[in-house]
């Protein structure tokens, strides 16, 4: 991989990791409801789970989808159902009377597993492994995964920190409920490109 391609990959990883999507919206809600420290397993699950996903997709998992095109439709249906379920959980995440100890954030394994039904994660992994590893060698795929691992975690942590800072404004239970419902609606809105691709 040339230096120019590496810089382009880093820029791609940063832009796709820092922009709004299901992971970042859920982390913002988690930061607001549970704080930064309690959301660390969620952040690590996203970072490491997505890195593993890039490795496996680049190593040939995408060929399974090419051989069985119906699997794309199945993945889309599962993704939509699970994202709707997560939106419902976010909408109802506000602890009673603002008690932060009452709720539970997403665990490491839940966040890592979520990458496999996250439409944005699939788009990122497929684009990264096809555009930045033209020779499809294991070394190139590992480098792409490593770059995403290094860039993704600080990027998603920004959203958790932002959510934690917003919790200072969300001290009123009604404001917290309104915030959670807004995050839930935005999460559902993130399905638009999946349901109605351009």
């Amino acid at each position: 991989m040339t230096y120019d391609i590496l810089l382009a990959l880093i820029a791609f990883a940063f832009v796709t990791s820092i922009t709004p999507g299901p992971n970042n919206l859920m982390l913002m809600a988690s930061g607001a409801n549970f704080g930064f420290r309690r959301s660390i397993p969620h952040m690590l699950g996203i970072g490491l789970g997505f890195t593993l996903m890039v490795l496996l997709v680049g190593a040939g998992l995408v060929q399974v989808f090419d051989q069985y095109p119906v699997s794309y439709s199945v993945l889309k249906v599962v993704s939509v159902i699970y994202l709707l379920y997560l939106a419902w959980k976010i909408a109802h995440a506000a602890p009673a009377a603002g008690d932060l100890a009452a709720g539970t954030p997403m665990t490491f394994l839940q966040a890592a597993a979520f990458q496999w039904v996250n439409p944005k994660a699939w788009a990122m992994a497929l684009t990264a492994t096809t555009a930045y590893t033209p020779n499809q060698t294991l070394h190139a795929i590992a480098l792409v995964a490593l770059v995403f691992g290094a860039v993704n975690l600080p990027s998603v942590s920004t959203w958790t920190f932002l959510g934690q800072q917003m919790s200072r404004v969300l001290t009123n239970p009604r404001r917290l409920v309104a915030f959670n419902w807004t995050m839930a609606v935005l999460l559902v809105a993130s399905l638009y490109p999946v349901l109605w691709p351009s």
Side-chain angles (χ1 to χ4, degrees):
M1 182 179 293
T2 66
Y3 184 70
D4 289 343
I5 292 176
L6 179 61
L7 286 179
L9 170 62
I10 292 169
F12 174 77
F14 175 73
V15 169
T16 55
S17 296
I18 198 77
T19 52
N23 280 325
N24 291 336
L25 293 172
M26 289 189 305
L27 283 172
M28 188 174 184
S30 185
N33 285 282
F34 309 114
F36 191 90
R37 188 180 59 79
R38 290 185 65 197
S39 299
I40 288 175
H42 187 167
M43 291 182 282
L44 291 174
I46 290 170
L48 296 176
F50 182 71
T51 301
L52 176 62
M53 181 183 191
V54 171
L55 273 173
L56 294 177
V57 167
L61 184 62
V62 71
Q63 293 172 0
V64 173
F65 292 102
D66 291 338
Q67 289 180 352
Y68 304 99
V70 72
S71 59
Y72 282 116
S73 299
V74 171
L75 178 64
K76 183 186 287 190
V77 170
V78 170
S79 298
V80 168
I81 291 170
Y82 192 62
L83 279 172
L84 290 173
Y85 166 73
L86 289 174
W88 181 86
K89 282 190 71 169
I90 288 171
H92 296 87
D99 180 11
L100 288 177
T104 56
M106 189 175 268
T107 67
F108 173 86
L109 290 177
Q110 288 170 333
F114 173 69
Q115 303 319 298
W116 296 96
V117 294
N118 180 353
K120 184 181 177 186
W122 274 104
M124 290 165 59
L126 290 170
T127 302
T129 56
T130 54
Y132 297 100
T133 59
N135 56 5
Q136 294 292 305
T137 65
L138 190 56
H139 173 74
I141 293 165
L143 182 58
V144 169
L146 182 64
V147 166
F148 263 99
V151 171
N152 187 270
L153 190 58
S155 298
V156 298
S157 299
T158 303
W159 286 82
T160 311
F161 178 75
L162 181 60
Q164 180 188 31
Q165 296 308 304
M166 289 187 70
S167 67
R168 297 177 182 190
V169 178
L170 303 173
T171 53
N172 180 308
R174 294 179 82 163
R175 278 184 273 183
L176 184 57
V177 167
F179 170 80
N180 286 339
W181 274 94
T182 302
M183 291 295 101
V185 168
L186 289 173
L187 184 59
V188 171
S190 74
L191 289 171
Y192 181 82
V194 175
L195 298 175
W196 295 279
S198 55

